């Protein structure tokens, strides 16, 4: 029987093609997702002034500062709404391409507090409260 044989065909001849295709699909999905969410992207650009936020504040899917960071089973933190929508479509990590294994998301409270504190500091530095 077919057993565990991939429906994509023999891995030895098509795995590099599949990897490229998967990467392209993920990039397209990321572009779709990042155009879906509004957010605090104005503080992430290089033109935003001297205040630069740490890269880990940025969701790999939306490319925006996270307001509700949640860690997936791949150990990577995403904006909760973005990774939730991603998991409705795919069951692999958008970053590693490996199976997620579970749809369980853990809130990343420490990162959420750090982002909130830094955002408040950015607001104060720009004259707003």
């Amino acid at each position: 029987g077919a057993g565990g044989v991939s429906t994509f065909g023999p891995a030895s001849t098509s795995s590099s093609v599949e990897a490229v295709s998967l990467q392209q699909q993920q990039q397209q999905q990321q572009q779709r997702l990042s155009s879906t969410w509004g957010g605090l992207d104005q503080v992430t650009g290089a033109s935003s002034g001297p205040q630069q936020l740490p890269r880990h504040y940025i969701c790999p899917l939306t490319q925006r500062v996270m307001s509700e960071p949640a860690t997936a089973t791949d150990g990577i933190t995403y904006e909760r709404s973005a990774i939730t929508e991603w998991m409705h479509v795919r069951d692999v990590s958008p970053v590693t391409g490996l199976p997620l294994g579970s749809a369980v998301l853990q809130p990343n409270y420490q990162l959420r507090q750090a982002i909130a504190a830094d955002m408040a500091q950015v607001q104060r530095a720009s004259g707003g409260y």
Side-chain angles (χ1 to χ4, degrees), residues 26-110:
Q26 289 173 349
Q27 287 171 349
Q28 290 169 355
Q29 178 76 6
Q30 283 181 355
Q31 289 168 355
R32 264 197 23 255
L33 288 173
S34 53
S35 66
T36 303
W37 282 277
L40 304 169
D41 56 321
Q42 69 271 14
V43 298
T44 64
S47 62
S48 64
Q51 188 80 28
Q52 290 296 308
L53 295 173
R55 184 78 192 132
H56 63 276
Y57 286 13
I58 309 300
C59 173
L61 286 171
T62 66
Q63 296 300 310
R64 294 191 165 108
V65 176
M66 293 180 275
S67 60
E68 194 177 350
T71 304
T73 57
D74 61 358
I76 298 168
T77 300
Y78 305 90
E79 178 62 37
R80 177 177 292 280
S81 57
I83 191 63
T84 299
E85 182 174 316
W86 174 272
M87 290 187 303
H88 284 300
V89 179
R90 305 186 64 83
D91 60 355
V92 297
S93 165
V95 174
T96 68
L98 298 173
L100 285 171
S102 169
V104 173
L105 298 173
Q106 294 296 322
N108 191 331
Y109 294 117
Q110 186 175 6

